[in-house]
Amino acid sequence: MSEIYVALDLEATGMDPERDEIIEIAAIKFRDDRVLDRWETLVRPRATVPLSITSLTGLTMRHLRQAPPFSAVASRLREFVRNHPIVGQSPEFDLQMLAAAGLALQNPVYDTFQLATILLPDLPAYSLASIAARLGISVNQQHRAMADVETTMAVFLGLRDLLLEYDPETLRRLADYARTAGLPVARLFDEVYRELTGQGAGGLADLLAERLRAALPGVSHAPEVVFLLQRDRPERLEPTGRARPIDLARLRAWYGQDGPLARSFPAYEARSQQVQMAEAVAETLNRGGQLLVEAGTGTGKSLAYLLPAVLHAVERGETVVISTNTIALQDQLFNKDLPLLRRALEEAARSDSELATAAAFRATVLKGRNNYLCLRRWFLRQREPARSPAEALLYAKITAWLPQTNTGDRAELHLSPDEQAVWAQLAEEEGACVPGRCVFHRRNQCFLFRARAEAEAAHIVIVNHALLLSDMLADNRVLPPYRHLIIDEAHNLEDEATAQLGFRLTQEQVRDIFRRSLSLDSLGRFSGVLGELWQALADVPARRARDLAQDLHARIEGLLPTGERGIQQVERLFTQLGDFAQRYQVDQGSYERQVRLTAAVRHDPAWDLVEEAAENVAIELRGLLGALSWTLTRLGDLAGDELPSQDDLVTELDLLVRVGHELHDRLVETVAAPSPERVYWLSLNPSTGQVALNMAPLDVSGPLREHLFSRCDSVVLTSATLTIEGSFGYIRERLGLPEARELLVPSPFDYASSTLLCVAEDLPEPGEPGYQRQLNEVLVPLLRATRGRAMVLFTSHSALQSTYRAIKRPLESAGILVLGQRIDGSPRQLVERLKSRPETVVLGTNSVWEGVDIPGEALSVLVIAKLPFSVPTDPVFAARSEQFADPFQEYAVPQAVLRLKQGFGRLIRSRTDYGVCVVLDRRILSRRYGRTFLRSLPDCRLEVTTVAELPSKASEWLHRRQETFLATSPAGEEA
Ligand code: SF4
């Protein structure tokens, strides 16, 4: 590398170039890894530095008061940078800030963030620190300009070194895609490409590629060649013929304080609750049947089921499927718990050789088909240039990722919503793949089929609820055969089953059927599957094929108006639906507006127009499907050598017929022939204007019982929140498990001494005048008194925003940072900031009620703004409520209790945690049902208080608890 670069970074009072100001600038001039020069300065802003910036940078007005203004340093910066390429982490922001301050730099720019998203596609986050950590670069300080510039330079050099590991063909493609995507890093790819080809790189790999390319005409470049080499297939799991039950006495010993688990799991604590659960799981695996287990926080439930599952699966040579709702839990099971369990088994096997087989258990994670890159589709696409910048960027990412990935799983790529839409065209689509005709499948290279083969060979297969249920709907054609099932996070199963058994119908889906079947290209030629088939048939020399081409041509000519009319009718229908939705829409506090299609709504004369428009679409669809089916039948009459060589076209035709019939039936059902067993609604997204027709089943317990639970010998369902006042009645009924055995394992944590539950009794009830204002007013003194360390949980984003606006300024003037979900970042980012700076308050909605884990003092106060009842106008909730004699007591309350328990569970995450849970909804005291909520929570101290006393009560209790903790903890004793 001979070019000189300048790494640049600046700190500012905020992220808005129009409003905010620069407070610090640093730059390093370098060539290769040699620093040529450094420059840095503080800059005096006109306005004061906000707390959120001081909390990040440590810079206050005390530091900046004596600094020069920007106008005094601008020319020195320009002189330092000259015309060298600028390297930065998301430098666009820095350049915009400089331009807004009067210094517009036009230099070439290399963005380390952008480079890393392409070259390190599997990073969970692309902050400078995360990229540096992946490259093994240590970061001493963050969010100060010079420290960040040093890291940026090191990261840039590290990323550039990665580029040198690619073969020249891949680099050339990367440069092409980056150019199409309009990325300045294309220049860097070119530069490295020249460097590599100048050195005659490639060697053996290129030679091999060259030979294979000669043998395989049509194969265009080196990576494809690699995927045409044969790979080994793992052996399927076979029954061992043994059926020795798990020995419960030996199992208990595993969980002892001196047992094998204690020796392998860091900070392991023996817990009687965990043993109790493990025994119940083992008994269920031994004897069969169904088991419901509520295991309170801290039980260690994953280990309580993983060990019996492994012992059972290895003994019998049978698969145990474990299903979770979240990716986080899948990751924890697969990447943390199972490897530690294997280590424990390996250690134990040293003194008990029988365990050697168990230690060799095989486990895998299996995902739905659309998660895996289809190599056939990918390499076909590669022969054409990218059609848009978004597509080009994704192609660049895939090109760089393909030589590294072993799974082809899109989770490694962290796709944006736009990229996910492009990905859908590169992943396997239901029915579009014919494995027998695919070369990648024959060589065992196809990612999807390799993942399935690994699942067939595994003792433990981890899936998510969505895949478990789609396998159920596909008569178990996706997962390997299994008879033992463990469902974790089982409180989410009903919602996921509702989603999987329902559907959503959009304008794009219906319009696509017409477009994909037949259209005209820009030159007026036939395209779409029928057009391409006609062309392909005409090229086949056999007479019968050419006869069919002639007939098809006549058919297509007649069909073109149908396609055009169809598309117009689809547009008309969805415009009618949009107008209809506008008439009924209610703001439900969510992103989507929903209108339930009840009998009364369907009696509205405006619905007649919708029915008429839907019937017109259905007529055109039937015409199209008739032509597609006719073509399929005629193709079936041809012999193998009379068929066109592109079998993709026949597969696509087959797929269109199936999908088209499904859409037709769904449209007719939703608009004109609704089933009493189902609920239907219209949804309207106000920001995109997208309208959709939706269906959900009223009841999922029947299908779950019939097609999932009854098919298994043993089923264990577990969660920290399954019971209401100690009863499993509600969940049994919702999931269809009347005969399941049950076990309630309380948390091993001492809530009586660790948790104070505070309820303010003099606040108005939610919905009463003044509630929101008083809620905002009480939060300020409360969170000042506790110095933040808090999370406030809301049930709607509009309530969150209102509180955010009201409390931000008064709390930040007291040095307490206020962060709102979707205002200041994602839940994950906010949680990280709360952990690193406890004098913070995080306001969150739905996604932080579950799965957030903040042990220690950073989360000492949990505020529940309102009891989490469902929105009464939610179509599924409203329709299901009608099934109950007392819908509120039998349905709304239990549902909200389970949610409250989930939210409450965020507070105490370890034996040494303590904290205050504040409920700002006095219905928990004033209403009869409030007792159900209170009795469902762990046994903690309840303090009924007033708004005025709340801050002192909470802070004094925390203070006392902290003193007790310091006095009793080992560190406190030493002190
Ligand atoms: S077997 Fe199917 S999914 Fe796999 S690469 Fe071939 S076409 Fe794609």
Side-chain angles (χ1 to χ4, degrees), residues 373-377 428 432-435 438-441 446-449:
L373 182 77
C374 167
L375 288 166
R376 182 153 155 270
R377 285 183 150 202
E428 209 282 295
C433 148
V434 182
C438 177
V439 62
F440 301 107
H441 179 259
C446 164
F447 292 120
L448 169 68
F449 283 89

PDB file of all heavy atoms in Angstrom, residues 373-377 428 432-435 438-441 446-449, ligand 1:
ATOM      1  N   LEU A 373     -29.362 -19.715   1.946  1.00  0.00           N
ATOM      2  CA  LEU A 373     -29.090 -19.279   0.571  1.00  0.00           C
ATOM      3  C   LEU A 373     -29.225 -20.483  -0.366  1.00  0.00           C
ATOM      4  O   LEU A 373     -28.657 -21.546  -0.096  1.00  0.00           O
ATOM      5  CB  LEU A 373     -27.659 -18.726   0.480  1.00  0.00           C
ATOM      6  CG  LEU A 373     -27.262 -18.188  -0.885  1.00  0.00           C
ATOM      7  CD1 LEU A 373     -27.884 -16.811  -1.116  1.00  0.00           C
ATOM      8  CD2 LEU A 373     -25.739 -18.071  -1.009  1.00  0.00           C
ATOM      9  N   CYS A 374     -29.993 -20.301  -1.433  1.00  0.00           N
ATOM     10  CA  CYS A 374     -30.097 -21.361  -2.446  1.00  0.00           C
ATOM     11  C   CYS A 374     -28.963 -21.133  -3.450  1.00  0.00           C
ATOM     12  O   CYS A 374     -28.939 -20.130  -4.165  1.00  0.00           O
ATOM     13  CB  CYS A 374     -31.459 -21.294  -3.130  1.00  0.00           C
ATOM     14  SG  CYS A 374     -31.540 -22.290  -4.619  1.00  0.00           S
ATOM     15  N   LEU A 375     -28.020 -22.059  -3.492  1.00  0.00           N
ATOM     16  CA  LEU A 375     -26.842 -21.873  -4.348  1.00  0.00           C
ATOM     17  C   LEU A 375     -27.223 -21.807  -5.825  1.00  0.00           C
ATOM     18  O   LEU A 375     -26.621 -21.071  -6.604  1.00  0.00           O
ATOM     19  CB  LEU A 375     -25.845 -23.004  -4.109  1.00  0.00           C
ATOM     20  CG  LEU A 375     -25.127 -22.929  -2.754  1.00  0.00           C
ATOM     21  CD1 LEU A 375     -24.418 -24.239  -2.447  1.00  0.00           C
ATOM     22  CD2 LEU A 375     -24.122 -21.786  -2.726  1.00  0.00           C
ATOM     23  N   ARG A 376     -28.234 -22.586  -6.184  1.00  0.00           N
ATOM     24  CA  ARG A 376     -28.634 -22.594  -7.592  1.00  0.00           C
ATOM     25  C   ARG A 376     -29.145 -21.204  -7.992  1.00  0.00           C
ATOM     26  O   ARG A 376     -28.731 -20.643  -8.982  1.00  0.00           O
ATOM     27  CB  ARG A 376     -29.715 -23.649  -7.783  1.00  0.00           C
ATOM     28  CG  ARG A 376     -30.184 -23.812  -9.193  1.00  0.00           C
ATOM     29  CD  ARG A 376     -30.697 -25.226  -9.389  1.00  0.00           C
ATOM     30  NE  ARG A 376     -31.647 -25.287 -10.465  1.00  0.00           N
ATOM     31  CZ  ARG A 376     -32.942 -25.120 -10.285  1.00  0.00           C
ATOM     32  NH1 ARG A 376     -33.412 -24.868  -9.079  1.00  0.00           N
ATOM     33  NH2 ARG A 376     -33.757 -25.209 -11.305  1.00  0.00           N
ATOM     34  N   ARG A 377     -30.024 -20.652  -7.162  1.00  0.00           N
ATOM     35  CA  ARG A 377     -30.556 -19.324  -7.469  1.00  0.00           C
ATOM     36  C   ARG A 377     -29.447 -18.277  -7.444  1.00  0.00           C
ATOM     37  O   ARG A 377     -29.415 -17.369  -8.253  1.00  0.00           O
ATOM     38  CB  ARG A 377     -31.617 -18.937  -6.432  1.00  0.00           C
ATOM     39  CG  ARG A 377     -32.904 -19.666  -6.638  1.00  0.00           C
ATOM     40  CD  ARG A 377     -33.936 -19.205  -5.643  1.00  0.00           C
ATOM     41  NE  ARG A 377     -35.254 -19.334  -6.224  1.00  0.00           N
ATOM     42  CZ  ARG A 377     -36.313 -18.668  -5.838  1.00  0.00           C
ATOM     43  NH1 ARG A 377     -36.208 -17.806  -4.859  1.00  0.00           N
ATOM     44  NH2 ARG A 377     -37.473 -18.850  -6.403  1.00  0.00           N
ATOM     45  N   GLU A 428     -34.501 -20.532  -0.843  1.00  0.00           N
ATOM     46  CA  GLU A 428     -35.388 -21.536  -1.407  1.00  0.00           C
ATOM     47  C   GLU A 428     -36.827 -21.104  -1.155  1.00  0.00           C
ATOM     48  O   GLU A 428     -37.189 -20.682  -0.067  1.00  0.00           O
ATOM     49  CB  GLU A 428     -35.118 -22.886  -0.745  1.00  0.00           C
ATOM     50  CG  GLU A 428     -35.419 -24.065  -1.625  1.00  0.00           C
ATOM     51  CD  GLU A 428     -36.899 -24.375  -1.702  1.00  0.00           C
ATOM     52  OE1 GLU A 428     -37.489 -24.737  -0.695  1.00  0.00           O
ATOM     53  OE2 GLU A 428     -37.453 -24.231  -2.814  1.00  0.00           O
ATOM     54  N   ALA A 432     -40.191 -24.388  -5.153  1.00  0.00           N
ATOM     55  CA  ALA A 432     -39.429 -23.966  -6.327  1.00  0.00           C
ATOM     56  C   ALA A 432     -38.173 -24.810  -6.507  1.00  0.00           C
ATOM     57  O   ALA A 432     -37.466 -24.670  -7.480  1.00  0.00           O
ATOM     58  CB  ALA A 432     -39.048 -22.503  -6.204  1.00  0.00           C
ATOM     59  N   CYS A 433     -37.896 -25.654  -5.540  1.00  0.00           N
ATOM     60  CA  CYS A 433     -36.665 -26.434  -5.610  1.00  0.00           C
ATOM     61  C   CYS A 433     -36.989 -27.897  -5.915  1.00  0.00           C
ATOM     62  O   CYS A 433     -37.855 -28.488  -5.279  1.00  0.00           O
ATOM     63  CB  CYS A 433     -35.960 -26.290  -4.262  1.00  0.00           C
ATOM     64  SG  CYS A 433     -35.027 -27.691  -3.740  1.00  0.00           S
ATOM     65  N   VAL A 434     -36.306 -28.429  -6.906  1.00  0.00           N
ATOM     66  CA  VAL A 434     -36.452 -29.868  -7.176  1.00  0.00           C
ATOM     67  C   VAL A 434     -35.080 -30.474  -6.916  1.00  0.00           C
ATOM     68  O   VAL A 434     -34.201 -30.437  -7.776  1.00  0.00           O
ATOM     69  CB  VAL A 434     -36.920 -30.106  -8.632  1.00  0.00           C
ATOM     70  CG1 VAL A 434     -37.121 -31.591  -8.886  1.00  0.00           C
ATOM     71  CG2 VAL A 434     -38.181 -29.329  -8.916  1.00  0.00           C
ATOM     72  N   PRO A 435     -34.867 -31.019  -5.710  1.00  0.00           N
ATOM     73  CA  PRO A 435     -33.515 -31.444  -5.340  1.00  0.00           C
ATOM     74  C   PRO A 435     -32.911 -32.444  -6.311  1.00  0.00           C
ATOM     75  O   PRO A 435     -31.717 -32.384  -6.613  1.00  0.00           O
ATOM     76  CB  PRO A 435     -33.689 -32.062  -3.952  1.00  0.00           C
ATOM     77  CG  PRO A 435     -35.090 -31.839  -3.535  1.00  0.00           C
ATOM     78  CD  PRO A 435     -35.843 -31.216  -4.642  1.00  0.00           C
ATOM     79  N   CYS A 438     -30.902 -30.848  -8.951  1.00  0.00           N
ATOM     80  CA  CYS A 438     -29.972 -29.784  -8.571  1.00  0.00           C
ATOM     81  C   CYS A 438     -28.578 -30.346  -8.298  1.00  0.00           C
ATOM     82  O   CYS A 438     -28.394 -31.226  -7.455  1.00  0.00           O
ATOM     83  CB  CYS A 438     -30.489 -29.068  -7.326  1.00  0.00           C
ATOM     84  SG  CYS A 438     -29.359 -27.810  -6.758  1.00  0.00           S
ATOM     85  N   VAL A 439     -27.600 -29.794  -8.996  1.00  0.00           N
ATOM     86  CA  VAL A 439     -26.229 -30.286  -8.877  1.00  0.00           C
ATOM     87  C   VAL A 439     -25.682 -30.042  -7.464  1.00  0.00           C
ATOM     88  O   VAL A 439     -24.931 -30.850  -6.915  1.00  0.00           O
ATOM     89  CB  VAL A 439     -25.334 -29.650  -9.961  1.00  0.00           C
ATOM     90  CG1 VAL A 439     -25.263 -28.143  -9.814  1.00  0.00           C
ATOM     91  CG2 VAL A 439     -23.934 -30.225  -9.940  1.00  0.00           C
ATOM     92  N   PHE A 440     -26.092 -28.939  -6.839  1.00  0.00           N
ATOM     93  CA  PHE A 440     -25.575 -28.638  -5.498  1.00  0.00           C
ATOM     94  C   PHE A 440     -26.125 -29.629  -4.470  1.00  0.00           C
ATOM     95  O   PHE A 440     -25.471 -29.958  -3.505  1.00  0.00           O
ATOM     96  CB  PHE A 440     -25.922 -27.195  -5.101  1.00  0.00           C
ATOM     97  CG  PHE A 440     -25.362 -26.195  -6.058  1.00  0.00           C
ATOM     98  CD1 PHE A 440     -26.172 -25.511  -6.951  1.00  0.00           C
ATOM     99  CD2 PHE A 440     -23.996 -25.960  -6.101  1.00  0.00           C
ATOM    100  CE1 PHE A 440     -25.643 -24.613  -7.853  1.00  0.00           C
ATOM    101  CE2 PHE A 440     -23.448 -25.055  -7.005  1.00  0.00           C
ATOM    102  CZ  PHE A 440     -24.277 -24.383  -7.885  1.00  0.00           C
ATOM    103  N   HIS A 441     -27.328 -30.093  -4.724  1.00  0.00           N
ATOM    104  CA  HIS A 441     -27.896 -31.101  -3.833  1.00  0.00           C
ATOM    105  C   HIS A 441     -27.175 -32.437  -4.014  1.00  0.00           C
ATOM    106  O   HIS A 441     -26.820 -33.105  -3.046  1.00  0.00           O
ATOM    107  CB  HIS A 441     -29.399 -31.251  -4.128  1.00  0.00           C
ATOM    108  CG  HIS A 441     -30.052 -32.278  -3.265  1.00  0.00           C
ATOM    109  ND1 HIS A 441     -30.334 -33.551  -3.707  1.00  0.00           N
ATOM    110  CD2 HIS A 441     -30.432 -32.235  -1.977  1.00  0.00           C
ATOM    111  CE1 HIS A 441     -30.873 -34.241  -2.722  1.00  0.00           C
ATOM    112  NE2 HIS A 441     -30.958 -33.473  -1.666  1.00  0.00           N
ATOM    113  N   CYS A 446     -25.749 -28.090  -1.002  1.00  0.00           N
ATOM    114  CA  CYS A 446     -26.903 -27.224  -0.733  1.00  0.00           C
ATOM    115  C   CYS A 446     -27.024 -26.981   0.774  1.00  0.00           C
ATOM    116  O   CYS A 446     -27.103 -27.927   1.557  1.00  0.00           O
ATOM    117  CB  CYS A 446     -28.168 -27.893  -1.265  1.00  0.00           C
ATOM    118  SG  CYS A 446     -29.634 -27.137  -0.591  1.00  0.00           S
ATOM    119  N   PHE A 447     -27.039 -25.706   1.166  1.00  0.00           N
ATOM    120  CA  PHE A 447     -27.063 -25.381   2.593  1.00  0.00           C
ATOM    121  C   PHE A 447     -28.318 -25.924   3.287  1.00  0.00           C
ATOM    122  O   PHE A 447     -28.248 -26.446   4.385  1.00  0.00           O
ATOM    123  CB  PHE A 447     -27.008 -23.856   2.784  1.00  0.00           C
ATOM    124  CG  PHE A 447     -25.698 -23.257   2.377  1.00  0.00           C
ATOM    125  CD1 PHE A 447     -25.632 -22.293   1.377  1.00  0.00           C
ATOM    126  CD2 PHE A 447     -24.522 -23.646   2.999  1.00  0.00           C
ATOM    127  CE1 PHE A 447     -24.414 -21.721   1.012  1.00  0.00           C
ATOM    128  CE2 PHE A 447     -23.301 -23.083   2.638  1.00  0.00           C
ATOM    129  CZ  PHE A 447     -23.250 -22.123   1.638  1.00  0.00           C
ATOM    130  N   LEU A 448     -29.458 -25.766   2.609  1.00  0.00           N
ATOM    131  CA  LEU A 448     -30.715 -26.209   3.221  1.00  0.00           C
ATOM    132  C   LEU A 448     -30.686 -27.717   3.481  1.00  0.00           C
ATOM    133  O   LEU A 448     -30.985 -28.179   4.580  1.00  0.00           O
ATOM    134  CB  LEU A 448     -31.885 -25.849   2.289  1.00  0.00           C
ATOM    135  CG  LEU A 448     -33.227 -26.473   2.648  1.00  0.00           C
ATOM    136  CD1 LEU A 448     -33.755 -25.895   3.948  1.00  0.00           C
ATOM    137  CD2 LEU A 448     -34.253 -26.226   1.539  1.00  0.00           C
ATOM    138  N   PHE A 449     -30.298 -28.476   2.469  1.00  0.00           N
ATOM    139  CA  PHE A 449     -30.339 -29.927   2.641  1.00  0.00           C
ATOM    140  C   PHE A 449     -29.219 -30.428   3.551  1.00  0.00           C
ATOM    141  O   PHE A 449     -29.365 -31.459   4.192  1.00  0.00           O
ATOM    142  CB  PHE A 449     -30.361 -30.619   1.270  1.00  0.00           C
ATOM    143  CG  PHE A 449     -31.720 -30.542   0.658  1.00  0.00           C
ATOM    144  CD1 PHE A 449     -32.082 -29.470  -0.148  1.00  0.00           C
ATOM    145  CD2 PHE A 449     -32.691 -31.495   0.957  1.00  0.00           C
ATOM    146  CE1 PHE A 449     -33.364 -29.361  -0.671  1.00  0.00           C
ATOM    147  CE2 PHE A 449     -33.966 -31.395   0.439  1.00  0.00           C
ATOM    148  CZ  PHE A 449     -34.311 -30.330  -0.382  1.00  0.00           C
TER     149      PHE A 449
HETATM  150  S1  SF4 B   1     -31.373 -28.259  -3.685  1.00  0.00           S
HETATM  151 FE1  SF4 B   1     -32.912 -26.677  -3.874  1.00  0.00          FE
HETATM  152  S2  SF4 B   1     -32.419 -25.193  -2.269  1.00  0.00           S
HETATM  153 FE2  SF4 B   1     -30.633 -26.478  -2.577  1.00  0.00          FE
HETATM  154  S3  SF4 B   1     -29.354 -25.346  -3.984  1.00  0.00           S
HETATM  155 FE3  SF4 B   1     -30.571 -26.774  -5.161  1.00  0.00          FE
HETATM  156  S4  SF4 B   1     -32.385 -25.626  -5.767  1.00  0.00           S
HETATM  157 FE4  SF4 B   1     -31.395 -24.503  -4.122  1.00  0.00          FE
END
